[in-house]
Amino acid sequence: MGTPARRETRLPDLFDLFETPFTTLRPFTAQAIRIEDYVDEDKYVIRAELPGVDPDHDVEISISRGILMIRAERKEEHEGPRHSEFRYGSYERHIRLPENAREDEIKATCDKGVLTIIVPLQEAKEATRRINIEG
């Protein structure tokens, strides 16, 4: 039995839909970056998947009003003797930082397509405070 031939259609390939879920429903926004985040002792750790992205040229990390923004641009092309593929797109993710984050001490590293952002945390301040009534 031979390999089935791929039919050319205007509908997206089923596997492309699974690879970038729901991005076809919001074509005017950037695709989301998959992350995991957790608190480890006195630091907040964010790990983001960025396969095929050059962290030196195509990744921007910024912070404004307690919100960390990761923006990435991917340009990937593969050519063979009779076949070529390309993937490209913008990726963006906004993450609200904990209130006790030390924003001026954030560090980021990237290894094998995984961006790791370490946000040091200061000791949490008491959330509630009693107010005395005068008079």
Side-chain angles (χ1 to χ4, degrees), residues 38-45 98 100 102 118-124:
Y38 56 92
V39 175
D40 182 22
E41 294 180 18
D42 59 346
K43 61 186 174 258
Y44 177 54
V45 180
N100 59 336
R102 289 191 264 176
I118 308 240
V119 182
L121 301 174
Q122 55 192 348
E123 191 173 313

Side-chain angles (χ1 to χ4, degrees), residues 4-60:
R6 183 174 175 169
R7 289 186 288 154
E8 295 297 320
T9 67
R10 293 203 179 266
L11 297 174
D13 189 275
L14 183 60
F15 293 107
D16 290 341
L17 289 174
F18 285 119
E19 182 178 327
T20 53
F22 308 113
T23 56
T24 56
L25 300 176
R26 51 188 177 111
F28 299 110
T29 60
Q31 300 174 26
I33 297 171
R34 292 175 42 167
I35 68 161
E36 70 175 6
D37 62 337
Y38 56 92
V39 175
D40 182 22
E41 294 180 18
D42 59 346
K43 61 186 174 258
Y44 177 54
V45 180
I46 302 163
R47 292 172 30 101
E49 289 182 349
L50 296 173
V53 175
D54 180 2
D56 296 328
H57 300 99
D58 300 327
V59 177
E60 175 188 341

